[in-house]
Amino acid sequence: MLPDFRIRQRDYLLEISRAITEQLDLATVLTRILQSTAELLAGQAGLIVLREAEGRWVIRAHYGIPEPFLDYFKPLLADIPEHGDPKRFALPEVNRRLRATTETASLGLLHEVALPMVARDEVVGLIYIFRGYPTAFTANDRNLLASFANQAAIAVHNARLYQQTAAEKRRLDAILDSSADGILIMDTGHHIERFNRALARMTGWNASEALGRTHADVIQWAQRQPGPDLAQAEAGGWPLLKDPAPLYVEGDLLRRDGGYLPAGITYAPLFDREGRLVNMIANVRDITKFREAEALKSTFISIISHELRTPVSLIKGYAETLRREDARWDAEVVRDSLAVIDEEADRLAALIDNLLDASRLQAGALRLNMAEVALDKLAERLVEKFRTQTSAHQLTADFPPNFPPIIGDEARLTQVLSNLVSNAIKYSSGGQITVHGTAGPGQVTISVSDQGPGIAAPDLPHVFERFYRADSEQTKRVKGTGLGLFLAKAVVEAHGGRIWVESPAGRGATFFFTLPADLPRGS
């Protein structure tokens, strides 16, 4: 039979082995190891110190030593070697330091034994056991402590591996959840194992609801671009081909609420070292902006090609006519032809200026030359100018006396008012057009109203969008690029104001814009 001491030693070691395999909390395991070691070696106190990643030695478990006295033991952490043989391990002057420490702390600890915790030939920590009576630790005591040191080293190694794995998982989770693209990871049976926040926003599915469901439950298409989807590609042998390329599928993705989202999904397989498929990773990208850009580009090309073709054709036609050597034109014909060429050249110049302004806006490079502007005088000049261009309209400028000046870019504000008055003429067959101004606390309001057919309610939210033109008979008869109101809005907002339109059914349209103004006192 084994002596009682050996039985106790075996039982302690078995208990600690179970704690190591069942408990991954390092502090709990180290405290249990230290307490068992001290009890078995008849020690009154003990410490376990660990070497941290930065090379510092830190007390990670203590037994029989009150918290306030732990600082007294920090001198014991000096001169600990990074490598060592547990059988020949020694700490320089440890007894002298221990005596000085215990005398200062009045703990009455007379003897100590210390052994390293070695994992893969590296000292990861150290166990100290202290006695408060004269009997010194024997060689058998050191051998017994070595058994517990080995168990503690295993605990540290396992816990650190677990901590590294947990930290890596947290990092991976953070990367996935911070991604702007949707990410879906599924097993070989298409069951969803990972579903990030971006994909939850895109699809309307909560991650907790999506996990465990199949890909087909969550990823459904309202319509799809030509080409195979995931199921069709797999039926054709993908991805179990040699060096399979990622699969890209694009279309309108059905959301859980019944809506849809323009999306492109890239599927990539994940294989293990033996070449077996273990996961499928889907990267989902919202392509709404891409679709809008494509539509805008198509609209731009269509409008600009049409708007350029007409003046260029007229200029070329009249120029070729005037150059004919077989005809002699009288002065009036030449004068009228040159007038058309001049008018169409001006129209081309205005179109190019608008396009340049739109490009500057997109690049954030629209600059204002600020100075004092008298909007009432500016409006009167423009009304006088436009009166010569129409005989079907009555144009008036209506401003109260002493209308306050503002600080603004006169050329740009002229561009805004010119666009609004020009549109009022073009989109109404006749009647009254009024440019009206009012002054209020801290701002002025300018309006341009006409008596035309007005703007249909569905078009009202879009009239200030770039290249937008309402789909109406009146609009089809009037040439334009859809840039005028877009630029007007940008100029007004650059001045710190706002612009809007009101159009009661069948009662014309009124465009308003406000600008900041410092009104004189008493006005």
Side-chain angles (χ1 to χ4, degrees), residues 20 30 33 48-51 57 80-91 114-127 142 145-158 160:
I20 290 173
L30 292 182
I33 289 173
I48 291 182
V49 296
L50 296 184
R51 188 170 186 268
W57 292 91
I80 300 178
E82 295 183 8
H83 302 275
D85 180 354
K87 295 180 180 178
R88 294 182 294 176
F89 190 82
L91 296 175
L115 273 187
M117 293 151 47
V118 180
R120 298 184 177 180
D121 295 326
E122 181 182 349
V123 178
V124 297
L126 193 71
I127 295 183
R142 291 178 63 84
L145 183 59
S147 300
F148 286 93
N150 290 337
Q151 295 293 325
I154 293 171
V156 172
H157 181 68
N158 290 350
R160 284 182 171 169

Side-chain angles (χ1 to χ4, degrees), residues 106-258:
S106 301
L107 293 175
L109 303 177
L110 302 179
H111 291 279
E112 61 78 34
V113 63
L115 273 187
M117 293 151 47
V118 180
R120 298 184 177 180
D121 295 326
E122 181 182 349
V123 178
V124 297
L126 193 71
I127 295 183
Y128 287 93
I129 299 297
F130 305 111
R131 282 178 179 167
Y133 52 90
T135 304
F137 288 96
T138 66
N140 286 335
D141 290 333
R142 291 178 63 84
N143 290 335
L144 177 60
L145 183 59
S147 300
F148 286 93
N150 290 337
Q151 295 293 325
I154 293 171
V156 172
H157 181 68
N158 290 350
R160 284 182 171 169
L161 284 178
Y162 173 76
Q163 289 170 355
Q164 290 171 4
T165 303
E168 188 63 24
K169 181 180 183 302
R170 288 193 298 272
R171 190 175 74 88
L172 179 60
D173 288 345
I175 291 172
L176 292 179
D177 278 332
S178 63
S179 171
D181 289 344
I183 298 176
L184 181 151
I185 301 176
M186 52 187 163
D187 62 18
T188 54
H190 288 193
H191 293 95
I192 297 172
E193 296 180 344
R194 193 71 174 82
F195 197 86
N196 75 341
R197 282 197 294 260
L199 190 54
R201 289 193 298 270
M202 292 179 187
T203 62
W205 284 84
N206 290 328
S208 58
E209 297 173 312
L211 294 178
R213 292 181 179 268
T214 65
H215 170 272
D217 290 335
V218 176
I219 303 300
Q220 299 179 16
W221 299 100
Q223 65 176 40
R224 188 167 43 81
Q225 296 295 319
D229 63 8
L230 178 61
Q232 292 167 343
E234 288 182 324
W238 187 89
L240 303 177
L241 308 170
K242 185 177 180 181
D243 298 326
L247 171 68
Y248 182 74
V249 184
E250 182 179 316
D252 294 328
L253 189 64
L254 273 175
R255 287 176 46 85
R256 197 178 187 189
D257 59 11

Side-chain angles (χ1 to χ4, degrees), residues 260-337:
Y260 68 88
L261 176 81
I265 304 182
T266 302
Y267 296 93
L270 179 65
F271 298 96
D272 63 15
R273 292 182 178 179
E274 285 71 39
R276 293 172 300 205
L277 180 67
V278 292
N279 282 109
M280 192 84 71
I281 301 170
N283 186 282
V284 186
R285 176 158 292 181
D286 181 351
I287 59 172
T288 302
K289 296 294 183 184
F290 174 77
R291 289 267 187 92
E292 290 175 352
E294 285 293 306
L296 193 63
K297 183 172 73 173
S298 298
T299 303
F300 172 80
I301 293 172
S302 173
I303 290 175
I304 298 308
S305 61
H306 178 268
E307 290 298 313
L308 286 174
R309 186 182 296 116
T310 302
V312 168
S313 297
L314 285 170
I315 291 171
K316 183 174 176 58
Y318 276 94
E320 288 179 343
T321 299
L322 292 176
R323 289 182 59 197
R324 283 178 56 182
E325 296 180 357
D326 61 338
R328 293 187 178 276
W329 308 110
D330 59 34
E332 185 177 356
V333 171
V334 173
R335 190 166 49 250
D336 290 344
S337 298

Side-chain angles (χ1 to χ4, degrees), residues 64-86:
I65 301 173
E67 289 275 357
F69 291 99
L70 290 178
D71 285 344
Y72 290 110
F73 288 86
K74 286 185 178 178
L76 298 179
L77 307 185
D79 297 332
I80 300 178
E82 295 183 8
H83 302 275
D85 180 354

Side-chain angles (χ1 to χ4, degrees), residues 5-23:
F5 179 79
R6 294 294 184 189
I7 293 174
R8 287 173 58 211
Q9 178 184 352
R10 181 196 63 187
D11 290 344
Y12 273 127
L13 288 173
L14 287 174
E15 181 181 343
I16 290 171
S17 296
R18 282 195 297 270
I20 290 173
T21 57
E22 295 172 2
Q23 175 63 257

